Amino acid sequence: MRLKLPRRSVIVNIHGIGTPARDLDPGEDVAWVSVSQFEMVLDAAIGRDDVRLTFDDGNASDVEIALPRLLARALRAEFFPAAGLLGEPGRLDKDGVRELHRAGMTIGSHGWAHRDWRHLTPDLAHEEFIEAPRFLADIVREPVTRASIPFGSYDRHVLRRLRDARADRAYTSDGGRTREDSWLQARNSLRSNLDAEWIRRVMLSPPSLPRRARQVAARTVKRVRG
Ligand SMILES: [Zn+2]
Protein backbone atom coordinates (compact mmCIF):
# COMPACT_ATOMS: atom_id res chain seq x y z
CA MET A 1 0.00 0.00 0.00
CA ARG A 2 1.30 3.43 -0.87
CA LEU A 3 1.18 6.09 1.80
CA LYS A 4 -0.54 9.24 0.58
CA LEU A 5 1.45 12.26 1.70
CA PRO A 6 -0.34 15.57 2.34
CA ARG A 7 0.01 17.91 -0.62
CA ARG A 8 2.64 20.58 -0.25
CA SER A 9 2.28 23.73 -2.31
CA VAL A 10 4.58 26.65 -3.05
CA ILE A 11 3.12 30.01 -2.15
CA VAL A 12 4.73 32.96 -3.91
CA ASN A 13 4.19 36.32 -2.23
CA ILE A 14 4.31 39.56 -4.23
CA HIS A 15 4.52 43.11 -2.86
CA GLY A 16 4.86 45.77 -5.55
CA ILE A 17 5.31 45.62 -9.34
CA GLY A 18 6.68 48.18 -11.76
CA THR A 19 7.46 51.79 -10.84
CA PRO A 20 6.16 52.57 -7.33
CA ALA A 21 3.49 55.27 -7.32
CA ARG A 22 4.51 56.41 -3.83
CA ASP A 23 7.63 56.93 -1.74
CA LEU A 24 8.71 53.55 -0.45
CA ASP A 25 9.70 52.92 3.15
CA PRO A 26 13.43 52.43 3.80
CA GLY A 27 14.46 49.01 2.49
CA GLU A 28 11.08 48.40 0.86
CA ASP A 29 12.51 48.66 -2.68
CA VAL A 30 14.08 45.19 -2.42
CA ALA A 31 10.55 43.76 -2.36
CA TRP A 32 9.58 45.38 -5.70
CA VAL A 33 9.89 43.55 -9.01
CA SER A 34 9.63 44.67 -12.63
CA VAL A 35 6.67 43.81 -14.84
CA SER A 36 8.78 41.30 -16.79
CA GLN A 37 10.00 39.57 -13.61
CA PHE A 38 6.39 39.35 -12.47
CA GLU A 39 5.25 37.90 -15.79
CA MET A 40 8.01 35.28 -15.58
CA VAL A 41 6.55 34.13 -12.24
CA LEU A 42 2.99 34.06 -13.59
CA ASP A 43 4.05 32.05 -16.63
CA ALA A 44 5.76 29.53 -14.34
CA ALA A 45 2.51 29.22 -12.34
CA ILE A 46 0.32 28.33 -15.32
CA GLY A 47 -1.08 24.81 -15.08
CA ARG A 48 0.48 24.28 -11.65
CA ASP A 49 -2.14 23.54 -9.02
CA ASP A 50 0.63 23.27 -6.39
CA VAL A 51 1.60 26.94 -6.89
CA ARG A 52 -0.39 29.69 -5.17
CA LEU A 53 -0.01 33.45 -5.39
CA THR A 54 -0.54 36.08 -2.70
CA PHE A 55 -0.14 39.87 -2.73
CA ASP A 56 0.64 41.89 0.40
CA ASP A 57 0.38 45.60 1.26
CA GLY A 58 -2.40 46.68 -1.12
CA ASN A 59 -0.23 48.54 -3.62
CA ALA A 60 -1.95 50.14 -6.61
CA SER A 61 -0.03 47.72 -8.83
CA ASP A 62 -2.35 44.94 -7.55
CA VAL A 63 -5.14 46.26 -9.75
CA GLU A 64 -3.22 48.17 -12.39
CA ILE A 65 -0.57 45.56 -13.25
CA ALA A 66 -1.32 42.24 -11.55
CA LEU A 67 -5.07 41.82 -12.10
CA PRO A 68 -5.15 42.01 -15.94
CA ARG A 69 -2.14 39.66 -16.19
CA LEU A 70 -3.69 37.15 -13.79
CA LEU A 71 -6.97 37.18 -15.70
CA ALA A 72 -5.20 36.80 -19.04
CA ARG A 73 -3.68 33.56 -17.71
CA ALA A 74 -6.81 32.37 -15.87
CA LEU A 75 -4.90 32.49 -12.56
CA ARG A 76 -6.40 33.19 -9.15
CA ALA A 77 -4.68 34.87 -6.21
CA GLU A 78 -5.24 36.11 -2.67
CA PHE A 79 -4.77 39.80 -1.87
CA PHE A 80 -3.90 41.14 1.58
CA PRO A 81 -4.21 44.93 1.77
CA ALA A 82 -3.55 46.88 4.97
CA ALA A 83 -7.07 48.15 5.71
CA GLY A 84 -6.04 51.49 7.23
CA LEU A 85 -3.85 52.43 4.25
CA LEU A 86 -6.56 52.05 1.58
CA GLY A 87 -6.93 55.19 -0.49
CA GLU A 88 -3.46 56.53 0.28
CA PRO A 89 -1.32 57.57 -2.69
CA GLY A 90 0.00 54.54 -4.60
CA ARG A 91 -2.31 52.16 -2.70
CA LEU A 92 -5.53 50.37 -3.52
CA ASP A 93 -8.73 52.14 -2.62
CA LYS A 94 -12.04 50.52 -1.69
CA ASP A 95 -13.12 50.30 -5.34
CA GLY A 96 -9.86 48.53 -6.17
CA VAL A 97 -10.52 45.95 -3.45
CA ARG A 98 -14.04 45.41 -4.79
CA GLU A 99 -12.70 45.04 -8.32
CA LEU A 100 -10.25 42.33 -7.23
CA HIS A 101 -13.00 40.53 -5.35
CA ARG A 102 -15.47 40.75 -8.24
CA ALA A 103 -12.82 39.28 -10.54
CA GLY A 104 -12.74 36.14 -8.36
CA MET A 105 -9.76 36.99 -6.16
CA THR A 106 -9.79 36.34 -2.41
CA ILE A 107 -9.38 39.24 0.01
CA GLY A 108 -7.56 38.74 3.31
CA SER A 109 -6.26 41.08 6.00
CA HIS A 110 -2.73 42.44 6.38
CA GLY A 111 -3.79 44.33 9.50
CA TRP A 112 -4.56 48.03 9.77
CA ALA A 113 -1.44 50.17 9.45
CA HIS A 114 1.38 47.77 8.59
CA ARG A 115 2.76 47.58 12.11
CA ASP A 116 5.03 44.90 13.54
CA TRP A 117 2.54 42.60 15.28
CA ARG A 118 5.11 41.52 17.86
CA HIS A 119 5.05 45.00 19.40
CA LEU A 120 1.47 46.14 19.93
CA THR A 121 -0.48 47.71 22.78
CA PRO A 122 -3.88 46.08 23.41
CA ASP A 123 -5.66 49.00 21.64
CA LEU A 124 -3.52 48.66 18.55
CA ALA A 125 -3.90 44.88 18.62
CA HIS A 126 -7.68 45.34 18.46
CA GLU A 127 -7.30 47.57 15.42
CA GLU A 128 -4.90 45.16 13.70
CA PHE A 129 -6.62 41.82 14.43
CA ILE A 130 -10.32 42.70 14.81
CA GLU A 131 -11.12 46.00 13.09
CA ALA A 132 -9.01 45.47 9.95
CA PRO A 133 -10.70 42.25 8.76
CA ARG A 134 -14.13 43.70 9.66
CA PHE A 135 -13.44 46.81 7.61
CA LEU A 136 -12.42 44.71 4.60
CA ALA A 137 -15.42 42.39 5.08
CA ASP A 138 -17.72 45.43 4.87
CA ILE A 139 -16.13 46.37 1.56
CA VAL A 140 -16.47 42.95 -0.07
CA ARG A 141 -19.66 41.97 1.82
CA GLU A 142 -18.22 38.64 2.81
CA PRO A 143 -16.31 37.41 5.89
CA VAL A 144 -12.53 38.01 5.72
CA THR A 145 -10.98 35.10 7.54
CA ARG A 146 -7.39 34.94 6.31
CA ALA A 147 -4.50 37.04 7.53
CA SER A 148 -0.97 37.66 6.34
CA ILE A 149 1.56 38.77 8.91
CA PRO A 150 3.31 42.12 8.24
CA PHE A 151 7.09 41.73 7.86
CA GLY A 152 6.54 38.01 8.49
CA SER A 153 7.15 38.98 12.13
CA TYR A 154 5.46 36.67 14.60
CA ASP A 155 5.83 34.85 17.89
CA ARG A 156 3.45 32.73 19.97
CA HIS A 157 1.52 35.84 21.15
CA VAL A 158 0.85 36.93 17.57
CA LEU A 159 -0.38 33.45 16.70
CA ARG A 160 -2.63 33.37 19.77
CA ARG A 161 -4.16 36.74 18.83
CA LEU A 162 -4.82 35.46 15.32
CA ARG A 163 -6.50 32.35 16.68
CA ASP A 164 -8.55 34.45 19.13
CA ALA A 165 -9.64 36.60 16.18
CA ARG A 166 -10.81 33.38 14.46
CA ALA A 167 -8.42 33.67 11.52
CA ASP A 168 -8.68 30.37 9.67
CA ARG A 169 -5.31 30.73 7.89
CA ALA A 170 -2.20 32.71 8.86
CA TYR A 171 0.40 33.48 6.19
CA THR A 172 4.06 33.94 7.09
CA SER A 173 7.15 34.72 5.01
CA ASP A 174 9.16 31.74 6.21
CA GLY A 175 9.93 30.26 2.79
CA GLY A 176 9.68 26.69 1.54
CA ARG A 177 6.65 24.60 0.73
CA THR A 178 3.58 24.40 2.89
CA ARG A 179 0.90 21.79 3.54
CA GLU A 180 -2.40 22.94 2.16
CA ASP A 181 -4.29 21.93 5.30
CA SER A 182 -1.88 23.71 7.65
CA TRP A 183 -3.17 26.70 9.64
CA LEU A 184 0.20 28.43 9.32
CA GLN A 185 1.11 28.89 5.66
CA ALA A 186 4.74 29.60 4.75
CA ARG A 187 5.37 31.83 1.73
CA ASN A 188 8.25 32.80 -0.54
CA SER A 189 8.58 36.55 -1.11
CA LEU A 190 9.66 37.92 -4.46
CA ARG A 191 12.75 40.13 -4.35
CA SER A 192 14.03 42.69 -6.82
CA ASN A 193 16.93 40.36 -7.74
CA LEU A 194 14.46 37.65 -8.87
CA ASP A 195 15.71 35.62 -11.84
CA ALA A 196 15.02 32.37 -13.68
CA GLU A 197 17.26 30.47 -11.23
CA TRP A 198 15.06 31.56 -8.29
CA ILE A 199 11.98 30.32 -10.14
CA ARG A 200 13.66 27.00 -10.84
CA ARG A 201 14.83 26.53 -7.26
CA VAL A 202 11.71 27.75 -5.41
CA MET A 203 8.82 27.08 -7.77
CA LEU A 204 9.88 24.08 -9.78
CA SER A 205 12.08 21.74 -7.77
CA PRO A 206 11.22 20.01 -4.51
CA PRO A 207 13.50 21.27 -1.70
CA SER A 208 16.44 19.15 -0.60
CA LEU A 209 16.10 17.40 2.76
CA PRO A 210 18.74 19.55 4.55
CA ARG A 211 17.05 22.76 3.38
CA ARG A 212 13.66 21.50 4.51
CA ALA A 213 15.08 20.58 7.91
CA ARG A 214 16.49 24.10 8.35
CA GLN A 215 13.16 25.68 7.36
CA VAL A 216 11.22 23.52 9.79
CA ALA A 217 13.65 24.36 12.62
CA ALA A 218 13.39 28.12 11.95
CA ARG A 219 9.58 27.99 11.97
CA THR A 220 9.51 26.09 15.24
CA VAL A 221 11.60 28.78 16.93
CA LYS A 222 9.25 31.55 15.78
CA ARG A 223 6.14 29.64 16.83
CA VAL A 224 7.22 29.25 20.43
CA ARG A 225 9.15 32.45 21.10
CA GLY A 226 7.34 35.20 22.94
ZN1 LIG B 1 3.51 43.94 4.23
Side-chain angles (χ1 to χ4, degrees):
M1 196 181 89
R2 265 185 67 187
L3 202 66
K4 190 153 177 349
L5 293 169
R7 257 167 60 98
R8 302 177 69 87
S9 50
V10 180
I11 309 177
V12 173
N13 186 35
I14 299 117
H15 290 89
I17 311 154
T19 307
R22 61 179 173 86
D23 290 334
L24 298 182
D25 293 332
E28 198 186 352
D29 55 328
V30 298
W32 280 68
V33 295
S34 69
V35 174
S36 60
Q37 286 173 314
F38 175 64
E39 288 178 336
M40 203 159 67
V41 169
L42 292 189
D43 289 340
I46 292 172
R48 294 276 309 278
D49 59 2
D50 65 328
V51 171
R52 288 157 53 201
L53 304 166
T54 65
F55 293 78
D56 276 7
D57 297 352
N59 285 301
S61 57
D62 287 359
V63 158
E64 291 165 8
I65 298 175
L67 182 59
R69 287 165 176 81
L70 288 164
L71 294 176
R73 293 164 177 81
L75 293 169
R76 291 279 175 90
E78 297 175 62
F79 289 79
F80 295 88
L85 303 182
L86 292 180
E88 291 202 353
R91 307 265 183 189
L92 289 178
D93 57 13
K94 289 183 180 180
D95 284 341
V97 173
R98 277 187 210 105
E99 190 178 339
L100 291 168
H101 184 251
R102 260 201 318 268
M105 309 296 155
T106 304
I107 303 299
S109 175
H110 199 41
W112 188 260
H114 212 267
R115 302 177 177 110
D116 185 334
W117 285 355
R118 294 182 69 196
H119 308 285
L120 294 173
T121 62
D123 278 358
L124 292 183
H126 192 264
E127 200 171 62
E128 293 288 325
F129 294 95
I130 309 292
E131 289 174 34
R134 260 186 216 159
F135 188 85
L136 293 167
D138 278 350
I139 296 173
V140 298
R141 299 174 183 279
E142 191 179 275
V144 166
T145 58
R146 299 185 165 200
S148 88
I149 302 172
F151 313 104
S153 173
Y154 68 92
D155 56 22
R156 62 191 162 89
H157 305 294
V158 170
L159 299 185
R160 197 201 57 239
R161 279 175 161 153
L162 282 168
R163 287 193 190 274
D164 288 350
R166 304 254 182 276
D168 64 16
R169 286 281 188 281
Y171 289 75
T172 72
S173 307
D174 288 343
R177 291 197 169 230
T178 201
R179 276 177 50 158
E180 287 180 11
D181 59 352
S182 163
W183 181 73
L184 208 56
Q185 301 267 303
R187 301 181 299 173
N188 302 271
S189 296
L190 295 193
R191 298 252 157 205
S192 56
N193 62 0
L194 165 73
D195 56 12
E197 159 57 23
W198 186 92
I199 289 179
R200 220 168 9 248
R201 180 167 49 83
V202 176
M203 293 178 70
L204 304 181
S205 60
S208 66
L209 275 177
R211 184 148 59 91
R212 255 187 75 183
R214 278 198 306 278
Q215 282 163 347
V216 169
R219 284 177 215 173
T220 305
V221 169
K222 289 188 181 182
R223 236 173 275 183
V224 298
R225 74 184 173 185

